[in-house]
Each structure stands twice: as C-alpha cells, then as structure tokens.
Amino acid sequence: MSFRTNLVRARGHIVFLVALVLGLCLVLWLERLGQMPVADTTADEQQIQIAPNAEWEQDLMATFENVDPLPLDIRGLSSVKDLDDAKIAWKYFQNNTDPVTGLVNSANNYPSTTMWETGSYLIAVLAAERLGLIDASEAESRIGKVLDSLKKIRLFDDMLPNKAYNTRTLELVDYTNKPSAKGLGWSALDIARIIASFGLVERNHPDLAPKVEDVMDGWKLSEMVKDGELWGANVREGKTVENQEGRVGYEQYAAKAMMLFGYDMYRAYEVRDNLMIKEVDGEPIPVDSRMHRGVTPAFVVSEPYLFDGLEFGFDARSQRFATAVYKAQEARYERTGQLTAVTESHLNVAPYFAYATVWGGGAPWAVLSFAGDRMDSKRTLATKAAYAWNALFGTDYTRKLVAGVASTADPEKGFAEGIYETDGTLNTSITANTNSVVLSSLAFKLDGPLMRAVK
C-alpha cells in the first residue's frame, strides 16, 4: 500500500489533530489578550492591573507576604480627650434609644433601623461599659430590652429579620420607613453583623446568653448559609429571589461572626477563589473579582477591616489586608496633601448613602452609589475611619486624621459622618454606625478587641 493511499485514509485523524493544535493556539492567544493592563487617564485613577499569569495563579496570597503588618496600638489607658470624645459619641445613643422597644434610630431622630445598625448599638453599649460611661447593670438592661424586641418582631416570610424595622412600632418597613406588608427580604450581611454583636454580648455578659440563644432559635439561619456561603433575599415583583451576598472584606468579617455559632463558612472565609489585586498608590489592594449587583466591579472600603480588628482582633491575613488598605490612604495623602480616610457613609443629601472606595467600579478612589453610579464630589473624610485607624495603628498620620475630623463633634448630638473633601463642608448626617465605631475605637485603645475578656 502506497504512502499516498495511507495518507488519504488517515486524513480524518490529521484534520482532528490540526484543529486541536489551532484551537490550543487560539485559547493561549485570547488568554494573553485578556491579561493586558488597563490604564486610566486621570491622575487620581492611575492603577496597575496585575494580570493572572502563571506566577500569580500559583498563589495570589503570596503578594501579601511582602506587606509588613502594622503593629496594633493597644495602650491600656484612656486620655482625657478619649473620655470626652466617648461621652459625645454616647450622647447619640442617649438621644436616639426608644424608651419602649429599646431599639436605636439608624440616623438622628429617624425611627428606623436595620440588623446592621442594631448590632452597632449593642457593640456601642459594650464599648460604653468598658469606658466607664455606664455600669454593668445599665448595659444588661439596654441589651436585654433589645433582645426582648428582637424576639417580638415579625420575620420576613417567618424565616429571618426583614431588612428594616420601625424602632417605635417594630413594624416591617421599606427604606422610606413606611409599613410593608410583605417586607423587603433579608440581608445576610446585616444579620451576620448582629450575630457578631451577639457573640460579643455572650462573651462579655454570659448571663444574657440564654436570651441571645432564644432570639437566634427563632431565626432560620440555615436559610442564609448554604454550602459555606451567605445568601440574602430580595423581593422582585412580589416574589422572593435569593442571591449570594458578600465580597472580599465584608464576606470574611461576616463569616467570622457566623462561625462563632458553629456555622460552616469555609467558602465565605476563603478568599483565593475570588481574589484579584489592584495596585493603588503603591499598595497591593485585595479586590473581589465578582461584580457588585451584576453592574460594577466590587469595591474596597475601610469598614470591614475596621470592624474585624476592633471587635474580633485581626488574624494574620486580615491584618495584612488592613495594613495595605490603610497604607494606600496614607500614600494618597502624601501624594496629594488631602487627608484620606474612606469608607461607606451616610450623606446629608441625595442619594443619602455612598461608598467612598480605595478601589471600586473599575478605578481607584471612586465614590459610588449602591447602584454603582460615580459621585466623587461626595467623597467624605470619614469620622469613624479616622478614629478606628488611629485606634488600631496609632501612627502620625492617623493622629492627623483624628485632628482633621474635630469639627464633626457635637456635644449635644454626637459625631457627624465627616467632612466633604471637595469643599471642606460638614457632612452633617449623624448616625448610629459612626458613633458606635468611635466608641469601639476608644474602647480598643483601652482594652483591645471587644472579644477579649477584661480582667
């Protein structure tokens, strides 16, 4: 049989092999194309996109081995100014606690709350007790009243707390504080936030543990923990639609909270599967590779790292992540002369809430609405971020931050959210979250994380 005849008979195999080689070449070319760095043109949006080449794919976490974690600044004492500031922050809760339900308004004189802000209130009570602003009996009374109300609230679909409640009536409400027959759904992150506060309550007041457990027994927490991840629920056209919640930073904080009570949060606590790195002002910033609301790349703010350090105490990974996020803000100050302490904040103008990011929406230092719209004119030097970074790391720069937000203190109302960067005017919104963080920051300087028992 001739060579030519054999070649003709083998033509099918040859075609397959050629197609296979060409297909492999195409895949490699497309992968290389997808790794091209993206450059932005504005000075404040210069960034380096670190492509997922073979070296990074081996272990993105290796990047942070080169980040020297800043030492914690637990001082074991409170200055006169610390105590004066603590009294101002506690004034917010004295003014905004409902005498009947025991719940606290999310914003000054606005009778609505979420599980996130209710958790913030419980943490504020524990911090105020440590600072000597209230005694143990008042702390237990305040916490007990909150737990009694949480036992009474109507749950969304008889499963989990609704996204918002009226602090006076305990009714399910929408985000305008109007009664809602069905409710809005549940936020897994918000619920994890109050679960974190429950863990801290049990640690600091074990006598309240039965009340805490009684509340939790009425909540079907397994509905929001699935395959090691957090799942929330929204109402769309009258139907309940569930979705995975949490991005790098927030997700790990929430995972720690749920693990306190025995829930499997392995996938939420792990970061490698959803991690990418963006270089911002010379620092490697941990960014989630998943989209936010399917609209814009996920954002990085200070908040979850502040909570982790102040409440639980950092682990080795979160301390390195927090150090990088903090140092990028310090580096921006050194580059621009603009004091920078960014996180999520309420606003005193529409849309009344924004995420001032280290990186978000595809660019560094973007300020975003919840829907992902840019609104950089509302970047706020955040009071809570200034106090918390100073408590955690106590650097020359963090002391400048605290001095920079001095004008936000109102002895009759509490601390305002911060100062708008563009014109130096006050962001006059006054909230439970900001005043809670100020208190937990000052308590951290005295005794360290709230999870640590006080001797």
Side-chain angles (χ1 to χ4, degrees), residues 23-37 51-54 57:
L24 179 61
C25 292
L26 178 61
V27 169
L28 291 173
W29 180 79
L30 288 172
E31 186 178 79
R32 182 176 179 82
L33 183 65
Q35 294 176 6
M36 293 176 66
N53 56 34
E57 285 175 350

Side-chain angles (χ1 to χ4, degrees), residues 313-368:
F314 289 128
D315 55 56
R317 182 182 70 193
S318 64
Q319 190 165 355
R320 282 185 163 86
F321 281 12
T323 295
V325 169
Y326 160 75
K327 289 175 70 175
Q329 295 174 71
E330 183 177 9
R332 182 175 184 263
Y333 166 72
E334 292 172 350
R335 175 171 60 82
T336 65
Q338 184 69 57
L339 286 172
T340 303
V342 292
T343 193
E344 61 175 69
S345 295
H346 285 256
L347 306 175
N348 60 348
V349 294
Y352 303 108
F353 197 87
Y355 299 89
T357 74
V358 175
W359 194 94
W365 310 117
V367 182
L368 304 167

Side-chain angles (χ1 to χ4, degrees), residues 52-242:
N53 56 34
E55 180 181 353
W56 292 111
E57 285 175 350
Q58 289 176 11
D59 190 356
L60 282 168
M61 290 301 299
T63 306
F64 293 95
E65 292 178 5
N66 296 320
V67 176
D68 292 328
L70 289 171
L72 299 180
D73 191 40
I74 303 169
R75 302 175 189 178
L77 54 85
S78 296
S79 67
V80 172
K81 182 181 185 305
D82 288 341
L83 294 176
D84 287 343
D85 287 349
K87 290 174 183 176
I88 293 171
W90 184 242
K91 188 68 174 179
Y92 176 87
F93 298 100
Q94 292 175 312
N95 292 345
N96 283 277
T97 304
D98 186 88
V100 177
T101 68
L103 298 183
V104 161
N105 302 331
S106 60
N108 192 43
N109 294 326
Y110 185 67
S112 179
T113 192
T114 67
M115 290 301 103
W116 186 281
E117 287 140 337
T118 303
S120 291
Y121 170 48
L122 296 180
I123 287 167
V125 171
L126 296 175
E129 181 187 1
R130 288 202 176 186
L131 291 162
L133 302 180
I134 58 175
D135 60 21
S137 62
E138 182 176 348
E140 291 197 0
S141 175
R142 284 177 173 271
I143 295 169
K145 190 171 282 190
V146 170
L147 294 172
D148 289 342
S149 288
L150 292 177
K151 182 66 177 175
K152 296 175 185 176
I153 59 173
R154 181 166 67 88
L155 304 176
F156 177 83
D157 281 356
D158 296 321
M159 289 191 291
L160 290 163
N162 186 50
K163 289 185 176 183
Y165 287 91
N166 186 300
T167 57
R168 296 171 182 166
T169 66
L170 302 183
E171 290 179 289
L172 280 71
V173 294
D174 60 22
Y175 286 131
T176 64
N177 209 34
K178 294 179 180 178
S180 175
K182 180 175 177 60
L184 300 172
W186 72 76
S187 167
L189 289 177
D190 283 14
I191 294 171
R193 168 68 168 155
I194 199 169
I195 296 296
S197 74
F198 286 168
L200 298 173
V201 166
E202 289 195 356
R203 177 65 167 160
N204 289 272
H205 287 279
D207 289 347
L208 289 173
K211 274 197 167 188
V212 169
E213 301 295 335
D214 192 32
V215 170
M216 292 179 63
D217 285 346
W219 298 356
K220 296 179 181 178
L221 292 168
S222 59
E223 292 293 326
M224 64 175 242
V225 179
K226 299 180 181 180
D227 195 21
E229 291 185 314
L230 291 166
W231 285 74
N234 297 293
V235 177
R236 298 175 186 167
E237 298 179 353
K239 296 182 179 179
T240 302
V241 179
E242 297 186 11

Side-chain angles (χ1 to χ4, degrees), residues 61 64-65 67-72 74 248-257 259-260 265-266 268-272 286 304-324 389 392-393 444 449 451-452:
M61 290 301 299
F64 293 95
E65 292 178 5
V67 176
D68 292 328
L70 289 171
L72 299 180
I74 303 169
V248 170
Y250 285 102
E251 193 171 17
Q252 287 68 53
Y253 167 76
K256 281 187 176 181
M259 287 191 288
L260 290 175
M265 300 304 305
Y266 173 77
Y269 185 71
E270 182 54 76
V271 298
R272 285 178 173 85
Y305 301 107
L306 304 179
F307 287 175
D308 187 23
L310 296 174
E311 297 166 20
F312 297 140
F314 289 128
D315 55 56
R317 182 182 70 193
S318 64
Q319 190 165 355
R320 282 185 163 86
F321 281 12
T323 295
W389 285 129
L392 290 166
F393 296 143
F444 181 92
M451 185 57 75
R452 292 186 187 176

Side-chain angles (χ1 to χ4, degrees), residues 363-398:
W365 310 117
V367 182
L368 304 167
S369 69
F370 187 70
D373 299 320
R374 288 287 288 265
M375 43 190 303
D376 290 10
S377 65
K378 299 307 175 188
R379 184 179 294 109
T380 299
L381 173 61
T383 304
K384 59 185 170 182
Y387 272 83
W389 285 129
N390 187 53
L392 290 166
F393 296 143
T395 67
D396 289 341
Y397 177 61
T398 62

Side-chain angles (χ1 to χ4, degrees), residues 40-61:
D40 292 295
T41 56
T42 61
D44 211 23
E45 293 187 357
Q46 292 175 355
Q47 62 175 303
I48 298 172
Q49 180 171 341
I50 299 177
N53 56 34
E55 180 181 353
W56 292 111
E57 285 175 350
Q58 289 176 11
D59 190 356
L60 282 168
M61 290 301 299

